[in-house]
Amino acid sequence: MATAYAGLSYEQVVRKYSRAVAGVCVMRLQNHADAEDCFQNTFVKLLTKSPSFNDEDHLRHWLVKVAMNECYSFLRKNRRTLSLDEARDVPDLRSEDERDVSWALMKVKPDYREILYLHYCERYQISEIAETLGRNPNTVKVMLKRGRDMLKEIYGGDEI
Amino acid sequence: MKPLNFDALTNFEVPEEWIEKALSAKPKKKPIILRPYVIGSAAAIVLAVGITVFAVATLKNNSQKPNAFVAAPMATVETTDSTARPEAQPETTDSTARPEAQPETAAQTEPATQEATAVTERPVPPTLPYTGATVETTEDESSKYQMSTEWFTDVRSVRPEPWGQAPGSPSVEPPKLDISELYTGDVIIKAAPDSLFYESARIDVSITATHKESGARFSGTVITAPEKDENGEAVTRFNFFENNVYIPDDCEYTFEFIAYDENGDFIPDSYKTVKLTPTGDQTAEITI
């Protein structure tokens, strides 16, 4: 019997939330091969743990949280540095705009980058980011502000 | 300055290969035999069985040698090949290690054979399965027996005691005695119904004496298990010579008796000392 996740089948969940999970992994790890590992592990965990979800938001938060934890675990196990050039070589499937934003984001410190990504790409509210990252909402707000400033300084953009 | 367009990131296309892999992923379940609780349960069972077996084996061993604390041997006499009694002790070098392997007294030299025959006809014939004493004879002195200075005999148990633990050697070289100088008779111990020893499950007999001529002291312990006979007395019997314990006759022996109940506990006041001078092959009868 197929398990339902907030009313969705496993395949539907994978197809619907693959971009969110992949985005978190790529943003955090800056490497497609590593991001793919974490991406797969996230969905394997969904299969093995079979948690029950109240709604799709709950499911989405769970997936993003698990993906982040997978990335943290991966980084703990495989501590290594990645040059920006190497990172820039990877996203061959992205547009120029995308590469520019990625390049700018990757120069931001990882903690700030994560918050910026969740807020601007995944459209997370401050409270949701705080809940997902286990931080105080005020802290998230301050970090978001600082992250924005950093990004502005790096990228030189006026409209963030 | 160019504005940052985060929407560009949200347009990120996940490779179809990733999605296919995620869809085909199946959780790996460990075989049931490798699950931790199964391994733990099996280990606990094995441990429990092992401990039980060990405990049972230990208890069994202890029940076979309840008197190990009674008579720790003090010394042992080295044994050489016996030419005087080859058929009597074909494995004399192993006599201390494997006493149960010693041949019965019927296989000894003629006087001993006669004695053993007589033994079987006695009314109270508990066998003496073990003695730690050894004998040394040579071709030149085929009729001589090295006097036993220390010995230990447990009438009830065939389990040998560790003679190798002897802490020292006798100060005087034990003399070699002719068969005619040995005490070869039986010692019969009787306990009347009114005696403290009557109900005892075990009587420990400590025997000490000094050889008149050489001054060599000798001593030993015999553990006996008295049995009730038809006369209503508790009787036990043992014979030194039959058990290869060679002690001289015509000496004053001091016999000390201590009784224990079936639990191995000392029976209060059950201590008795008897002095006796046995001779030749005469039976020494002691009533305690």
Side-chain angles (χ1 to χ4, degrees):
Chain A
M1 195 179 77
T3 312
Y5 304 95
L8 301 174
S9 69
Y10 176 70
E11 184 174 352
Q12 286 172 321
V13 172
V14 173
R15 293 206 179 276
K16 190 167 185 179
Y17 295 107
S18 59
R19 194 201 51 76
V21 173
V24 168
C25 296
V26 171
M27 195 54 54
R28 184 75 201 185
L29 300 173
Q30 305 174 7
N31 177 302
H32 268 217
D34 298 343
E36 186 188 354
D37 287 346
C38 291
F39 176 87
Q40 302 297 345
N41 289 345
T42 303
F43 285 106
V44 166
K45 260 195 180 152
L46 179 69
L47 271 178
T48 52
K49 303 287 179 188
S50 296
S52 59
F53 301 105
N54 301 329
D55 48 33
E56 284 196 38
D57 266 356
H58 186 194
L59 170 62
R60 186 168 65 108
H61 282 116
W62 188 90
L63 285 170
V64 169
K65 178 77 178 166
V66 170
M68 281 181 173
N69 289 341
E70 284 294 325
C71 293
Y72 294 146
S73 304
F74 182 88
L75 289 171
R76 262 201 308 276
K77 287 176 193 166
N78 308 279
R79 286 189 187 281
R80 63 193 176 96
T81 55
L82 184 74
S83 71
L84 282 173
D85 291 340
E86 188 184 348
R88 288 199 66 155
D89 287 344
V90 175
D92 52 340
L93 43 86
R94 291 183 283 186
S95 66
E96 194 177 336
D97 272 355
E98 205 179 344
R99 278 201 295 271
D100 287 342
V101 179
S102 293
W103 172 81
L105 271 178
M106 282 170 191
K107 292 194 83 176
V108 177
K109 287 180 184 173
D111 287 350
Y112 296 93
R113 184 168 69 224
E114 203 165 64
I115 290 171
L116 286 169
Y117 177 80
L118 288 176
H119 187 68
Y120 288 108
C121 298
E122 295 297 329
R123 310 289 182 202
Y124 270 45
Q125 300 298 314
I126 301 286
S127 57
E128 289 174 331
I129 296 173
E131 192 185 335
T132 306
L133 299 181
R135 290 179 184 269
N136 189 300
N138 289 332
T139 312
V140 173
K141 208 180 283 180
V142 171
M143 288 179 78
L144 190 60
K145 167 88 173 51
R146 287 180 187 165
R148 251 193 325 248
D149 292 344
M150 283 180 207
L151 202 56
K152 202 184 291 179
E153 196 174 316
I154 294 162
Y155 192 72
D158 294 327
E159 298 171 22
I160 293 178
Chain B
M1 293 288 175
K2 192 178 178 184
L4 260 183
N5 181 12
F6 281 101
D7 287 338
L9 274 181
T10 58
N11 294 332
F12 170 74
E13 282 296 321
V14 181
E16 190 61 24
E17 184 191 344
W18 292 21
I19 294 171
E20 290 303 320
K21 267 190 191 174
L23 290 175
S24 61
K26 285 180 182 170
K28 288 177 187 172
K29 283 194 173 178
K30 280 186 178 178
I32 197 161
I33 200 165
L34 292 179
R35 291 182 191 173
Y37 61 87
V38 175
I39 294 172
S41 303
I45 290 168
V46 169
L47 190 66
V49 169
I51 290 172
T52 307
V53 168
F54 178 75
V56 167
T58 307
L59 286 174
K60 212 171 179 180
N61 284 345
N62 285 345
S63 67
Q64 283 179 348
K65 53 165 191 177
N67 308 306
F69 65 96
V70 173
M74 299 299 291
T76 184
V77 179
E78 285 299 321
T79 307
T80 59
D81 284 343
S82 173
T83 52
R85 303 187 299 147
E87 62 282 352
Q89 288 199 332
E91 295 180 341
T92 49
T93 51
D94 292 332
S95 60
T96 57
R98 293 187 297 150
E100 63 272 24
Q102 288 182 356
E104 290 296 322
T105 51
Q108 293 183 357
T109 52
E110 195 161 342
T113 307
Q114 290 171 355
E115 188 63 36
T117 308
V119 166
T120 57
E121 297 166 355
R122 293 176 192 279
V124 185
T127 57
L128 300 182
Y130 170 67
T131 175
T134 56
V135 62
E136 179 179 359
T137 54
T138 62
E139 286 186 3
D140 298 336
E141 297 174 306
S142 57
S143 64
K144 299 289 186 182
Y145 294 91
Q146 178 108 46
M147 191 182 86
S148 305
T149 55
E150 304 281 349
W151 73 90
F152 172 70
T153 300
D154 188 341
V155 170
R156 303 168 312 162
S157 171
V158 296
R159 185 183 173 83
E161 292 303 319
W163 281 81
Q165 293 177 357
S169 303
S171 56
V172 178
E173 178 69 17
K176 290 185 173 59
L177 303 173
D178 191 83
I179 184 77
S180 61
E181 298 173 291
L182 296 176
Y183 174 56
T184 57
D186 282 355
V187 176
I188 297 177
I189 299 165
K190 291 184 176 180
D194 58 347
S195 168
L196 282 171
F197 292 86
Y198 182 75
E199 290 296 344
S200 63
R202 188 183 102 205
I203 299 175
D204 291 5
V205 190
S206 297
I207 302 146
T208 53
T210 304
H211 187 229
K212 282 179 184 172
E213 294 166 10
S214 66
R217 274 179 58 77
F218 49 96
S219 63
T221 300
V222 179
I223 311 294
T224 65
E227 294 175 3
K228 307 287 190 303
D229 69 357
E230 64 272 18
N231 299 323
E233 291 179 317
V235 181
T236 185
R237 180 199 73 83
F238 57 88
N239 186 294
F240 295 113
F241 187 81
E242 286 175 7
N243 289 276
N244 302 330
V245 175
Y246 304 115
I247 55 173
D249 67 349
D250 206 21
C251 292
E252 187 181 64
Y253 285 76
T254 302
F255 291 80
E256 292 175 324
F257 300 90
I258 296 175
Y260 295 89
D261 61 17
E262 60 271 6
N263 298 323
D265 296 328
F266 170 65
I267 297 175
D269 300 327
S270 66
Y271 176 77
K272 194 161 188 175
T273 303
V274 174
K275 289 190 185 296
L276 194 69
T277 306
T279 308
D281 60 353
Q282 289 179 0
T283 298
E285 193 171 302
I286 304 169
T287 302
I288 52 176

